[in-house]
Amino acid sequence: NSTLSGNSSSSNYGELYATQGTITNVTVSNNQNTNSSTVVYLNNSTMTQSTITGSHNANGYAFDVYQSTVTYCKILSNQGYGVRLNESSTLDNCLVANNGLYGVTISSNSNQPAKVQSCDIVNNGSYGLYGYSGIYGSVVNTIVWGNTRHVSLPENVILTNCAVTGGYDGIDNVPLDAENDGTQYHHPKFENPSTVVGYDDSGTEWSWQLTEGSVCANRGTDFDIISHTTDLAGNPRIQQDIIDIGCYESPYTESEIPSYDDDIVYVVPGGAGNKSGMTWDNAVDDINEAINMALVNNVSKVWVAPGTYYGDVTGDNAFTLANKANLFGGVAIGTAPDSDLSDRDLVNNPTI
């Protein structure tokens, strides 16, 4: 029940060094480490219900964790890196948001792997999740969204039932759309997410609670979850059949995730039907949206019917292409999904 604020240090371990202890309900805010090292160092200890925020060490870590467990904590709005998990460390039911550089760095070996579970890693200024070559660990039930870059981990770190912008290989992971809300699928639908990516010194209390229709609701796994009965806000941890992904639980059931059986997103002028892009009868009307839908749903082709499409007229690029989504124009409406597109009549069916 303490606050450490407004201090300056040149020590490698900054304002708070704990070993073989328990820290509860502590706020560490607006401190500076002049040698760009760590503000809070935890060694063989437990920290819970605490907040580390506003650290002014642009090239150092706000929080360094070694052989310790961190639960129900917030690591947010620090100028440099967020939290580093070293050997035998666990980050559970935590919010890591709006840090200037990496959100969570995993740095643990095969004998003592680190673990991240039921966390939100959001709107950080570089990678949300980063791991050095040769490290080991696991990430379960965690949201990685809105970061400048999202995940860079070696193959020894496995993601399970996580929700990641654009998708990520692993076990039962859910791809997230880059937009928080919308009429399509795969939106996280946070209640009031930060409008800033990276270090945020506005002091605004953003809300990362899930709202109705979130693709993260009811899609987690109870595998290897520490026996907590509440989420970061103190809400009951399981309110439907399955735990939600992330550090906040919601009362909502899972939203629909479409199946693109043809491995195609269809586009026609003006759109059609429910604009899911799954068939010609339900085609989307925007090429950029179709490319994004292909990415988050692991679809390899976008078929565009003849017509004129204007794209984003406010930016430098009307259309933004992506490596994983192959764009085909001049495809006549009704063309069967198994057709050979080399037979397209591009002269009489122009796509502009």
Side-chain angles (χ1 to χ4, degrees), residues 18-297:
T19 182
Q20 297 182 342
T22 298
I23 300 171
T24 303
N25 197 22
V26 168
T27 298
V28 182
S29 65
N30 297 312
N31 296 288
Q32 182 174 9
N33 194 310
T34 56
N35 74 353
S36 297
S37 190
T38 298
V39 172
V40 177
Y41 183 81
L42 207 63
N43 178 30
N44 286 289
S45 297
T46 298
M47 176 179 275
T48 186
Q49 297 175 333
S50 298
T51 298
I52 301 172
T53 186
S55 299
H56 300 288
N57 55 334
N59 296 310
Y61 284 93
F63 195 16
D64 212 352
V65 183
Y66 181 76
Q67 293 185 343
S68 299
T69 298
V70 180
T71 61
Y72 299 119
C73 288
K74 298 179 181 180
I75 303 98
L76 64 151
S77 298
N78 297 288
Q79 197 174 47
Y81 298 91
V83 54
R84 177 166 58 188
L85 296 179
N86 300 288
E87 282 74 13
S88 299
S89 295
T90 297
L91 190 72
D92 183 31
N93 276 284
C94 292
L95 171 64
V96 183
N98 284 114
N99 298 288
L101 297 171
Y102 303 162
V104 175
T105 301
I106 298 177
S107 179
S108 53
N109 60 40
S110 59
N111 295 323
Q112 299 172 302
K115 184 184 300 180
V116 179
Q117 52 194 27
S118 294
C119 292
D120 283 8
I121 304 172
V122 288
N123 277 24
N124 296 286
S126 185
Y127 286 108
L129 265 173
Y130 182 83
Y132 301 105
S133 176
I135 61 99
Y136 286 74
S138 62
V139 185
V140 182
N141 277 12
T142 291
I143 297 173
V144 185
W145 180 86
N147 307 285
T148 300
R149 293 177 285 183
H150 298 290
V151 179
S152 178
L153 293 171
E155 62 182 10
N156 298 320
V157 181
I158 307 299
L159 271 64
T160 303
N161 286 82
C162 292
V164 181
T165 303
Y168 192 80
D169 289 340
I171 302 171
D172 295 330
N173 294 319
V174 177
L176 289 179
D177 195 283
E179 297 296 326
N180 178 54
D181 202 354
T183 58
Q184 299 301 324
Y185 309 92
H186 293 285
H187 298 288
K189 297 197 174 186
F190 297 113
E191 184 176 56
N192 184 30
S194 167
T195 57
V196 177
V197 177
Y199 177 56
D200 175 20
D201 60 355
S202 67
T204 305
E205 288 286 339
W206 307 107
S207 174
W208 298 96
Q209 298 269 7
L210 302 179
T211 61
E212 188 171 8
S214 171
V215 74
C216 301
N218 219 38
R219 281 204 166 88
T221 176
D222 298 333
F223 169 74
D224 207 24
I225 292 297
I226 293 176
S227 56
H228 290 149
T229 58
T230 59
D231 68 1
L232 182 57
N235 301 312
R237 198 50 176 123
I238 298 180
Q239 298 185 30
Q240 294 293 331
D241 297 330
I242 305 171
I243 194 171
D244 290 353
I245 302 175
C247 60
Y248 293 107
E249 194 76 8
S250 77
Y252 307 111
T253 59
E254 66 269 19
S255 61
E256 178 187 1
I257 294 182
S259 176
Y260 290 80
D261 295 333
D262 297 339
D263 194 32
I264 300 168
V265 178
Y266 298 91
V267 187
V268 302
N274 64 13
K275 294 187 179 180
S276 67
M278 298 173 65
T279 63
W280 286 116
D281 291 336
N282 293 298
V284 69
D285 60 351
D286 183 274
I287 292 177
N288 284 322
E289 185 174 5
I291 292 171
N292 184 60
M293 292 167 70
L295 289 175
V296 300
N297 289 286

